[in-house]
Amino acid sequence: METAQILRVVPLFAGATDAQLKAVSKIARLRRLKPGETVIREGEPGTSVYILKSGSVSVVRNRRDDEAQVLAKLVPCDLFGEMAILDHKPRSATVTASEETEVLEIPEPDLRRVLDADPDLALRVHRSLAVIFCERLRAANEKLVAWSSLPPEHGA
């Protein structure tokens, strides 16, 4: 599958034109990962956003007791790594390939240049990010409510 075809089904680029998808395709780099290979490491600076092309990855956060907590398992067309390029804070989790995996890496400076050159695409991406973040926040809230209703021996 060509990069533009993948981008077309990624919610971040919902409704983008062929020309806009082509512009983003030009800056996306394909990375092939082996099982267990780390794409993003918690605490490091964020310089790119990623789209899962094939395979799967696990998003993991280290807890205070040094145990790893799996936050999510991502599948093709999922977006990850966007938080650190938006808020310029260190990566909040580690992302590791669960199997043979391909990701599209979009460097933040290149994405910013493409968005600066196309205000319509920038608005689409902004709106899509808002929806994505709202969906994730709602899901996190549901998990928090479910977790907080567990008996004390199952909590913290």
Side-chain angles (χ1 to χ4, degrees), residues 127-140:
R127 287 180 178 157
S128 295
L129 281 171
V131 169
I132 290 166
F133 285 143
C134 286
E135 288 171 354
R136 288 181 184 174
L137 182 57
R138 287 178 191 279

Side-chain angles (χ1 to χ4, degrees), residues 78-103:
D78 279 344
L79 172 75
F80 62 97
E82 74 286 352
M83 284 178 18
I85 69 165
L86 290 172
D87 67 8
H88 303 287
K89 293 187 178 178
R91 298 287 191 187
S92 63
T94 296
V95 179
T96 305
S98 303
E99 58 186 294
E100 294 285 334
T101 298
E102 293 181 325
V103 296

Side-chain angles (χ1 to χ4, degrees), residues 3 8 20 26 29 34 47 50 54 72 75 85 108 115 119 130-133 139 141 144 150 153:
T3 300
R8 183 173 306 288
Q20 291 168 331
K26 287 181 181 179
R29 301 178 200 149
K34 295 181 181 348
T47 57
Y50 299 86
S54 66
V75 296
I85 69 165
E108 187 263 346
L115 296 178
V131 169
I132 290 166
F133 285 143
N141 285 346
L144 184 59
L150 289 175
E153 63 272 8

Side-chain angles (χ1 to χ4, degrees), residues 1-66:
M1 188 180 286
E2 286 187 34
T3 300
Q5 291 174 306
I6 294 165
L7 295 175
R8 183 173 306 288
V9 296
V10 173
L12 183 65
F13 300 108
T17 66
D18 289 342
Q20 291 168 331
L21 294 173
K22 185 176 179 180
V24 176
S25 294
K26 287 181 181 179
I27 62 171
R29 301 178 200 149
L30 180 66
R31 285 186 55 191
R32 290 182 172 86
L33 308 165
K34 295 181 181 348
E37 189 173 344
T38 298
V39 185
I40 290 175
R41 193 170 312 281
E42 183 177 346
E44 290 184 349
T47 57
S48 296
V49 63
Y50 299 86
I51 296 167
L52 191 56
K53 181 178 179 185
S54 66
S56 63
V57 296
S58 294
V59 181
V60 177
R61 177 100 193 239
N62 289 321
R63 299 187 321 202
R64 281 181 251 147
D65 59 6
D66 286 335

